[in-house]
Amino acid sequence: MTQFTLGWEEWLALPDLGLPAIRAKVDTGAKTSALHAFAIEPFGPAEKPMVRFAIHPDPQDPGLEVICSAPLKDRREVTSSNGETELRFVIETTLSMGERSWPIEVTLTDRGGMAYRMLLGRTALDEEMIVAPSLKYQQPQLSFDAYRAAPRLKQHRRALRLAILSREPGNYSTRRLIEAAEAGGHTMEVIDTSRCYMNIRAVGGEVHYDGRRLPHYDAVIPRIGASVTSYGTAVVRQFESLGTYCLSGSEGITVSRDKLHAHQVLARHRIGMPTTAFARSPKDSGNVISLVGGAPLVLKLLESTQGKGVVLAETKKAAESVISAFQGLKADFLVQSFVKEAAGEDIRCFVVGGKVVAAMRRKGKPDDFRSNLHQGGTAEPVRISKAEREVAVRAARAMKLDVAGVDLLRGEDGPKVLEVNSSPGLEGIEKTSGKDIAAMVIQHIEAKVAPKPPRTRPKRITA
């Protein structure tokens, strides 16, 4: 076996942690290896525990900070050279030095006052490795400049702590998002929105759940039902105030759930939609009907979901009767022109991160103009035009939603947006398109909350 010589000081990399360059002291007098770490936080399920921590790899640059995460192997008492005993988290990771790579155990401890961010103990060295205590840099030297190369940083994906706000932990969408998150090495917790409560204050606000303060999440995925929109968006706003990335922001959820507000936003952004009218006074019924071009027309309750509360009135008299009934219930509603050429079909475009990642055509039952799958409609894959793709992306952006289900009608004068859904279901679109939409959502979250490239220090030029 080839002899491998180390000096008392060497450069090494810990690629599994996203650390391309660390200057380490090789100390055969120490049994255990130690890595500088602060803000250490365990997370994840008991059967797959994880630990997250931060590190300043360059002792001379406190502004260079990297967030790392790794599977938690153990927690042990370690006695330092000054005789102090400390209970430390232990991880196993890959060490790379020169042309060699091998697994080592590392304990995590705050070495902020030390000249070396890592101590390499004797248990990390193989039998054929020789340490020359009077020499240093027997292996290739690295540089902290590696941290300022964005492509290198993007290669590392740390484990994320994620949460879903949902009252239906067993439904298809929630299960698929959990599966996709765990497949990416992340942890996901399901939180019942209605059981959250909040401590609202200027500094140090909190979200509590079932008697405990919730930890910091890298991202939260709101899947809030229409019945708890008001309280659910309040919880999302609290997470936003704590600096947590929310896949659907509180503003986007609020606007998309209010059909009148949503259509006003679409109109302001000059996005095509069926002609829409709104009035409260019974005296204006006739005027509202004429504004949308007369019958046939569609009436929608403002709080309708999944096709419920949506009525097609084929004659003016039928429209007046439905309007009278809605007004008698003191229910707010919209009146919209009926896009006959759509023939009971619509297009669901699934938008993730400003791109349409999948689309399906939905068709209602023969005797139903509504195309919702929840109302017995059917779905099939569809190729959408460039104009339809652009309208879907613009509609999601207008609603300030990173992920959205945009429903379009194919009108004679171009695509018309029916609705923008802030919590689109995954079952129909995944089964119809055959695509792993849940994985795309998780990948979008990874891109959003991944560590940003550290700032670059200005180079000093000496004359």
Side-chain angles (χ1 to χ4, degrees):
M1 202 173 280
T2 305
Q3 183 174 294
F4 192 75
T5 304
L6 303 177
W8 69 268
E9 181 180 342
E10 292 289 351
W11 285 89
L12 57 86
L14 302 173
D16 294 347
L17 300 177
L19 300 173
I22 293 285
R23 200 159 53 94
K25 179 182 179 182
V26 181
D27 186 357
T28 56
K31 178 180 179 182
T32 311
S33 298
L35 177 66
H36 168 57
F38 63 95
I40 302 172
E41 180 188 25
F43 68 103
E47 61 273 16
K48 291 182 180 180
M50 304 285 292
V51 63
R52 176 183 292 116
F53 58 94
I55 177 173
H56 295 141
D58 183 354
Q60 304 303 316
D61 185 5
L64 176 57
E65 181 176 307
V66 179
I67 308 298
C68 308
S69 61
L72 179 58
K73 184 171 184 179
D74 197 3
R75 199 171 186 189
R76 301 175 193 155
E77 285 191 347
V78 177
T79 303
S80 62
S81 57
N82 60 10
E84 293 183 358
T85 300
E86 180 186 14
L87 188 62
R88 297 182 187 176
F89 291 103
V90 182
I91 64 172
E92 187 173 88
T93 191
T94 301
L95 183 152
S96 293
M97 189 184 295
E99 297 181 353
R100 292 194 56 166
S101 295
W102 67 96
I104 64 167
E105 279 191 358
V106 181
T107 66
L108 304 178
T109 185
D110 192 337
R111 296 177 56 85
M114 304 290 186
Y116 298 92
R117 290 308 192 224
M118 186 165 181
L119 180 72
L120 200 61
R122 60 178 180 271
T123 56
L125 307 178
D126 290 340
E127 293 180 358
E128 75 278 8
M129 295 181 180
I130 296 177
V131 178
S134 61
L135 303 175
K136 63 179 182 178
Y137 303 140
Q138 297 302 292
Q139 298 301 318
Q141 295 188 49
L142 305 174
S143 169
F144 292 122
D145 289 339
Y147 290 94
R148 297 166 183 90
R152 291 287 299 274
L153 285 177
K154 288 180 180 177
Q155 294 175 8
H156 174 67
R157 294 194 311 167
R158 63 182 174 88
L160 302 177
R161 177 181 248 172
L162 309 174
I164 296 180
L165 297 179
S166 174
R167 301 177 71 191
E168 300 177 340
N171 76 2
Y172 180 92
S173 298
T174 300
R175 285 190 288 104
R176 286 289 297 118
L177 288 167
I178 293 172
E179 290 169 2
E182 292 181 346
H186 311 303
T187 64
M188 182 82 82
E189 183 175 353
V190 181
I191 298 171
D192 185 337
T193 320
S194 62
R195 283 158 50 193
C196 292
Y197 53 101
M198 295 160 279
N199 183 359
I200 303 169
R201 55 190 179 191
V203 178
E206 299 168 338
V207 180
H208 290 251
Y209 181 72
D210 280 355
R212 65 183 175 96
R213 181 178 66 84
L214 290 176
H216 172 74
Y217 294 106
D218 292 291
V220 167
I221 304 174
R223 295 197 62 81
I224 296 167
S227 62
V228 292
T229 296
S230 179
Y231 192 77
T233 51
V235 174
V236 174
R237 280 196 300 272
Q238 185 74 357
F239 278 113
E240 290 171 334
S241 71
L242 300 175
T244 302
Y245 170 66
C246 296
L247 185 65
S248 300
S250 58
E251 185 179 353
I253 298 171
T254 300
V255 173
S256 65
R257 290 285 168 81
D258 183 335
K259 285 183 167 51
L260 175 60
H261 192 176
H263 281 83
Q264 289 172 323
V265 169
L266 293 172
R268 186 165 72 244
H269 286 81
R270 300 184 181 277
I271 295 172
M273 60 183 181
T275 303
T276 304
F278 174 77
R280 170 158 287 196
S281 172
K283 296 181 181 179
D284 296 323
S285 298
N287 294 329
V288 167
I289 292 172
S290 63
L291 281 176
V292 300
L297 53 82
V298 177
L299 298 104
K300 296 180 179 180
L301 291 174
L302 290 187
E303 296 183 355
S304 63
T305 59
Q306 300 177 351
K308 300 172 184 177
V310 181
V311 179
L312 171 64
E314 297 184 350
T315 65
K316 181 179 179 181
K317 185 174 181 180
E320 290 173 342
S321 297
V322 176
I323 289 174
S324 177
F326 281 169
Q327 289 173 336
L329 296 171
K330 299 187 182 302
D332 289 328
F333 59 93
L334 296 177
V335 180
Q336 287 188 323
S337 58
F338 178 61
V339 183
K340 186 177 181 180
E341 60 268 27
E345 297 180 353
D346 73 6
I347 307 294
R348 162 60 64 92
C349 298
F350 205 100
V351 180
V352 178
K355 296 180 181 178
V356 177
V357 297
M360 62 180 175
R361 177 165 49 215
R362 303 182 299 188
K363 189 168 185 176
K365 295 183 293 185
D367 58 344
D368 194 342
F369 77 101
R370 298 168 299 178
S371 57
N372 301 73
L373 299 184
H374 289 89
Q375 299 299 325
T378 58
E380 62 184 14
V382 65
R383 291 181 64 87
I384 59 174
S385 66
K386 181 180 179 181
E388 290 166 342
R389 191 177 300 274
E390 290 176 350
V391 165
V393 170
R394 287 177 58 211
R397 187 179 298 126
M399 296 290 170
K400 300 182 180 180
L401 293 170
D402 285 353
V403 171
V406 181
D407 298 337
L408 307 174
L409 292 179
R410 286 178 162 170
E412 291 179 347
D413 53 348
K416 299 179 183 295
V417 177
L418 274 179
E419 184 179 4
V420 181
N421 192 321
S422 59
S423 298
L426 300 181
E427 185 170 10
I429 194 72
E430 283 198 336
K431 291 182 177 180
T432 302
S433 68
K435 296 181 178 180
D436 190 347
I437 306 298
M440 296 180 188
V441 172
I442 298 301
Q443 289 163 10
H444 169 74
I445 292 174
E446 290 172 345
K448 275 287 186 179
V449 302
K452 301 293 188 297
R455 65 178 177 83
T456 302
R457 288 182 296 175
K459 293 183 179 179
R460 294 180 180 178
I461 301 176
T462 52

